[in-house]
Amino acid sequence: MNSPTGRRLSSLAELPQDMEPPRDMWAAIEARIDAEPAARGRGALARGIPRQAWGLAAGVALLAIGIWVGRASLPNSGVAIPGAETQAAAQSAQVAAGAEAAALRAVYAPNARFTRERELLRRNLADRLAALPPETRLTVRASLDTIQRARTDIEAALGRDPGNALLHEMLVNAYQDEMRVLATVQEAGAREEI
Amino acid sequence: MPPMQGKEARLADGGFPHSHDEPAVGVDYGLVLRASRGDKRAFERLYRDHVGRVYGLCVRLTRDPAMAEDIAQETFLRAWRSLDKFEQRSRLSTWLHRIAVNVVLERRRRRSSTLEFVAEPALLTDEQFLIETPIEEAELEAAIAGLPDGARDVLTLCGIYGYAHQEAAAMLGVAEGTCKAQLHRARGLLRERLGLGGKP
């Protein structure tokens, strides 16, 4: 990997980004492509749901419950904790049906407004959290951590199977879950300040 | 061409739209389209255009030319399988890098390497990765190769390939703060190993 040039550099950016591999790999790649012709052009869903996707789906389902608990415990959230299971189910269904299109638009397209609002909410998070009771802060942080972990897992799974439509959808949902938590904290924090 | 988007807007394929100066839609567009319809010659062109950059990243992340070759092959194979899902708004080279980083991380996990914990960073000011006293290229590459995995990953992605912290963090599956911390650590170690002294 050492360069024979003897060039002297004053910045990492001057290092060459390209390196020539020791041999042409195309023949090996082509052979592997030819060995799996059926994979080309098939949709991700048609390939079936991989095992790891089921695990992630379970994780995201748990995550949704975690987020609901987080919302329910926020002061003045308008959510009654007794009977929360029923409401959570109803809300999950509403969210799934109503927000799906918006979620897809938000993450599948470079939606500047989504990005701006998310950044704003994230910037304000620390201030808003400071206005909430300690136990609520912990719940919110736990929810956000769970979302982050879920997103990391989904992204890792997407790395292994970048064309998997289910994983893409789950990633979109994870971003939306995060937005819901951030927006709820923003509202609750603002009410606490008043 | 639409106006440049910020680096923070992620696409569904995991990439960032127009995240570098080069326009996303260019020569690659037609080739990607043809390749996604099963044209292997078009995909070969894409391979030849991008293999140097993919292999370069793999070598730097693995420090093992043989493993880098294997990972580069796997990267192109996965890209072939998923080309029809690639969004033209992001750069193909970034998308390929993202796949390559994932393959590298998978291999490391298989070797059950432990996660490195790094404390939150001091504020970074030198975003240009400048070195006061010019260093021989080979010496610099060797010093980078000697860094621990996490620090080397971030230094390679941000310092050599020019990715923003957010992009590098997303590729590596770590928090942006961890990415900054690793970079801070990498620069400190690099300075130490190059005998440069001073603040990192």
Side-chain angles (χ1 to χ4, degrees), chain B residues 81-98:
Chain B
R81 288 177 189 148
S82 309
L83 266 177
D84 51 346
K85 300 291 185 288
F86 168 65
E87 290 196 17
Q88 300 289 343
R89 286 185 297 275
S90 65
R91 291 174 66 204
L92 181 68
S93 57
T94 302
W95 187 62
L96 290 171
H97 267 183
R98 184 174 173 78

Side-chain angles (χ1 to χ4, degrees), chain A residues 1 5 7-10 16-17 19 22-25 30 32 34 36 40 108 110 115 160 168, chain B residues 8 12 36 40-41 47-48 52 55 59-60 69 74 80-81 89 106 131 134-135 137 160-161:
Chain A
M1 170 164 113
T5 64
R7 273 198 311 154
R8 294 184 79 81
L9 310 178
S10 54
Q17 296 192 342
M19 285 186 187
R23 60 186 163 175
D24 187 355
M25 293 179 273
E30 190 175 26
R32 289 176 70 183
D34 289 340
E36 49 172 54
R40 179 89 237 114
Y108 274 67
T115 307
R160 291 188 291 274
H168 281 292
Chain B
E8 65 278 9
S36 70
K40 273 195 296 182
R41 293 287 73 82
Y47 158 81
R48 300 213 177 279
Y55 178 74
V59 167
R60 287 181 168 118
E69 205 179 321
E74 180 67 24
W80 166 259
R81 288 177 189 148
R89 286 185 297 275
E106 275 174 35
I131 302 162
I135 301 286
E137 186 177 335
I160 301 176
Y161 290 94

